[in-house]
Amino acid sequence: MGEILGVFAALLSSALGGTSIGATRYLVATLDPLAIGAFRFSLGFLFLLPIAIGKRGGWPPRRDWPGITGLGLLFFALFPVLFNASLIFTTAARGALALSMLPLLTLLVGALLRVEQLTKRKTAGVLIAMLGVGIALLAGLAGAPPGAWRGDLIMVAAAFCMALYSIWSKPFIRRCGPIPFTTMAMAVGATALLTISWTRGSFQPVATLGTAQWLAVVYLGLFGAALTFFLWAFALERTAPTRVAISVTVNPITAALVGAVLLGEPLGSNLAIGIAAVFTGIWMATTGNNRSTEAIVSGAADEPRPGSGS
């Protein structure tokens, strides 16, 4: 049951992430991408903070603070900077396809670090899901701007940061729980983004924002940050990193659907084929006798959780 809950939480997290891309596209014409990230994670932290304070067991132990700080900078500061920078050089479709390399990178890094087993079924599922993303985004992949490969490589670097976060954060989440961990890591990233945005003058257009833009900002903070990344940590607590990471292939699908509904972006028949391939790949990678015995997890699972009474 824990594995199933983890997979569903990861799918919901990635689906919300896709809707967040639609909200970001709506805001990016008015607000600097760095400022969007600063608002998103700052509000996400403020939404999670009361829950984390009221949670039994309290904050992570002090010995974990340096590691959580590093992971917060990696995922909630460096990742969004790389993500936004990549879209300067490449298209949204190509960027989404590059980001869908996350499950493959997570699978390879996890195998190299001996965190989980590299099985044929799981590898096939990851590759099929990535193929599904490519098919779904086929129409947007044709017209690449000059030098788009630079943006593609930057997005792959962003996916690599996310893969490392997914693998390295697991023992911390096991020890303190997903809410305290996510709250603390998000606070670190939000502080870094706020500092950079303030230094660059990224908040100057804020005075021109209307009601609709502020609603989009609040949506990004509540659903695109607090709920999305709590669910991601919740999933990592319960299942293998690759099983969580493969859910990111749902992200561009939901982004395309939101773009069609809210922004009038066209949808092709290839989207239905892509969706079928994505969910086939996810089913293959998350079912069957995948013995994802994790060295880190097995060691962390033996440690008492805060408030467990052990």
Side-chain angles (χ1 to χ4, degrees):
M1 182 59 70
E3 288 274 331
I4 295 172
L5 282 174
V7 170
F8 275 110
L11 288 171
L12 181 55
S13 174
S14 293
L16 287 170
T19 66
S20 298
I21 291 176
T24 302
R25 284 178 184 169
Y26 176 68
L27 285 170
V28 78
T30 309
L31 201 57
D32 186 291
L34 274 174
I36 294 173
F39 274 125
R40 178 180 181 180
F41 295 126
S42 297
L43 286 174
F45 164 71
L46 293 176
F47 285 128
L48 286 175
L49 183 60
I51 304 172
I53 291 174
K55 183 175 173 58
R56 293 181 60 187
W59 295 97
R62 289 200 173 192
R63 64 188 174 94
D64 284 349
W65 288 8
I68 293 175
T69 298
L71 288 168
L73 291 172
L74 177 71
F75 190 50
F76 294 110
L78 181 58
F79 171 79
V81 168
L82 290 173
F83 182 92
N84 293 334
S86 72
L87 296 178
I88 296 173
F89 302 102
T90 191
T91 63
R94 288 174 65 102
L97 184 61
L99 185 61
S100 73
M101 289 191 66
L102 171 65
L104 181 60
L105 290 170
T106 305
L107 187 67
L108 294 175
V109 172
L112 288 172
L113 297 179
R114 299 183 180 180
V115 173
E116 64 176 301
Q117 276 191 328
L118 185 66
T119 66
K120 291 181 180 178
R121 181 185 178 94
K122 194 183 295 185
T123 303
V126 167
L127 294 176
I128 290 172
M130 289 175 60
L131 176 63
V133 173
I135 294 172
L137 302 176
L138 197 59
L141 294 175
W149 60 270
R150 290 178 291 178
D152 299 338
L153 287 179
I154 294 172
M155 186 64 84
V156 171
F160 184 67
C161 290
M162 197 170 181
L164 291 176
Y165 173 87
S166 297
I167 291 168
W168 285 342
S169 63
K170 241 180 126 57
F172 297 100
I173 296 170
R174 288 263 180 178
R175 285 195 286 270
C176 67
I179 290 179
F181 170 82
T182 304
T183 304
M184 189 170 179
M186 194 175 291
V188 172
T191 301
L193 288 177
L194 281 169
T195 303
I196 297 171
S197 298
W198 185 267
T199 303
R200 294 182 72 253
S202 301
F203 294 121
Q204 290 181 1
V206 167
T208 65
L209 296 183
T211 302
Q213 283 92 351
W214 279 116
L215 287 174
V217 168
V218 173
Y219 178 86
L220 282 175
L222 179 57
F223 294 99
L227 185 56
T228 293
F229 294 109
F230 159 70
L231 288 169
W232 192 264
F234 179 91
L236 286 171
E237 185 184 29
R238 284 161 174 79
T239 189
T242 299
R243 289 181 171 180
V244 176
I246 196 174
S247 71
V248 83
T249 53
V250 173
N251 189 298
I253 303 295
T254 55
L257 294 174
V258 170
V261 174
L262 297 182
L263 305 175
E265 296 178 353
L267 291 177
S269 58
N270 54 299
L271 182 65
I273 301 173
I275 290 173
V278 164
F279 281 101
T280 299
I282 291 173
W283 174 78
M284 287 185 65
T286 58
T287 59
N289 189 23
N290 290 333
R291 294 185 60 194
S292 55
T293 308
E294 304 177 27
I296 292 178
V297 174
S298 61
D302 294 334
E303 300 183 24
R305 287 280 303 276
S308 64
S310 300

